[in-house]
Amino acid sequence: MKSIKAMVVVEAASGPVIRQRDIDAPVRDIGQLLIEVRAASVNRADLAVLAGTHVSAGASTGPTVVGLDCAGVVLEADTDSGFAPGDRVMTMVGGGLAEQVVVDARMPIRLPDAWSFEMGAGAVLALMTGHNALHTAGRLAAGESVLVNAARSAVGQATIQIACELGAGRVLAAARSLRDETFLKGLGADAVVATGPGGFAEAVLAVTDGQGVDVIVDHVGGPYLGDHVAAAALKGRIVGVGRLGGAEGALDMETLAVKRLDIVGVTFRTRDAGEKAAIAAGVRADLAGALDEGRLTPRIDRVLPWTEVLDAQDIVAADAHLGKIVLTVSAGA
């Protein structure tokens, strides 16, 4: 059977590590695309995969290939799939750090003509996460306000831009410091609020003239649950995307009830193929124009060869970047 190279989690004396290994080449089935991978990004969830704490529903029982996304060229497709060999695409896919992947044909998004493969790999997961958080989970209506916590992250950056495209009335960016205020405002944020110790909810309320925020997209988790409830507007929605700061927090049930708030948790790990495909379709429907016209673009912090995947993960773990870390996938390298 034909083999390909991939970045695989293997056991070593010091614990799990990532090594390049030969694995069986994927075989396309009806309803799938076979993609030659040119680039993939590094995500915080990759660190959890390495630690064995991030397992998706329906995960393969074979070698654990790291990577949650990729961009590349279609090699094989059904004639009625809407894609053809040679098309340039970006997609969410488990095990993206491999020379080839197969993916449900409903998942890929075409790369804008002006985009590189590196841009596609750096954008696709953030686009799907941000759009789902705002549109589906957050039910954002035109004119409503949005707060993005951990706005400096790649997903946070994309969420700011997506909120603007979806017609948000006012967009607030929350970050640990104001050093990137100019950058975040350049993405479309109307105001930047520091999340330092004490006074975060009060600062958000001050910026919103005491009204609070309609949709809060939370990438931090437990430590800010109380602040988010306090900073939410009447009938606001708090969308829990990430838990960088921890999974548990104090909840003021009285305020939750008085404000009639919704707290919605989201993840891709427990979604079936149809649910994921619906999110990809939403991105294509709502954001294609912004992508093609250059209004919505990813920031790439740096591009490294895929053989430096461990160094790339160290950079992500240290939060020593602004934008995505992207790995180029080279056949035979």
Side-chain angles (χ1 to χ4, degrees), residues 282-293:
V283 171
R284 288 191 290 267
D286 293 339
L287 303 179
L291 296 173
D292 289 338
E293 295 166 20

Side-chain angles (χ1 to χ4, degrees), residues 14-207:
S14 58
V17 296
I18 299 171
R19 295 281 187 267
Q20 188 179 89
R21 292 288 187 265
D22 289 337
I23 64 171
D24 291 340
V27 178
R28 186 184 73 87
D29 203 348
I30 295 172
Q32 295 181 320
L33 302 182
L34 176 65
I35 298 172
E36 179 183 78
V37 177
R38 300 291 182 84
S41 79
V42 180
N43 301 281
R44 287 191 177 273
D46 297 330
L47 305 176
V49 170
L50 185 59
T53 59
H54 186 286
V55 180
S56 300
S60 170
T61 57
T64 300
V65 181
V66 294
L68 299 177
D69 51 47
C70 72
V73 178
V74 175
L75 295 177
E76 297 177 9
D78 295 337
T79 55
D80 60 352
S81 67
F83 294 97
D87 287 345
R88 302 165 68 248
V89 296
M90 54 184 172
T91 187
M92 174 184 290
V93 60
L97 272 175
E99 291 177 328
Q100 295 179 4
V101 297
V102 292
V103 63
D104 187 313
R106 298 171 295 176
M107 290 296 295
I109 298 166
R110 293 183 185 277
L111 279 183
D113 291 340
W115 280 31
S116 65
F117 292 112
E118 290 78 13
M119 292 174 69
V124 63
L125 191 61
L127 291 172
M128 292 185 64
T129 301
H131 185 273
N132 175 66
L134 290 167
H135 179 74
T136 306
R139 307 190 308 278
L140 177 65
E144 288 190 319
S145 57
V146 171
L147 169 67
V148 181
N149 203 345
R152 188 177 180 275
S153 68
V155 178
Q157 293 173 32
T159 303
I160 291 170
Q161 297 179 80
I162 294 169
C164 295
E165 287 297 322
L166 296 180
R170 196 166 193 208
V171 180
L172 279 61
R176 284 181 292 181
S177 79
L178 299 181
R179 71 178 186 269
D180 298 310
E181 180 174 11
T182 300
F183 169 69
L184 294 171
K185 286 185 174 179
L187 296 176
D190 297 292
V192 180
V193 180
T195 61
F200 173 56
E202 291 78 4
V204 173
L205 290 170
V207 171

Side-chain angles (χ1 to χ4, degrees), residues 261-272:
L261 304 179
D262 289 346
I263 300 177
V264 185
V266 297
T267 182
F268 286 103
R269 282 179 282 169
T270 53
R271 296 181 192 273
D272 62 28

Side-chain angles (χ1 to χ4, degrees), residues 223-248:
Y224 284 91
L225 177 58
D227 283 310
H228 289 152
V229 168
L234 184 68
K235 296 191 287 185
R237 285 81 72 198
I238 301 169
V239 183
V241 177
R243 290 151 296 282
L244 296 174
E248 298 182 0

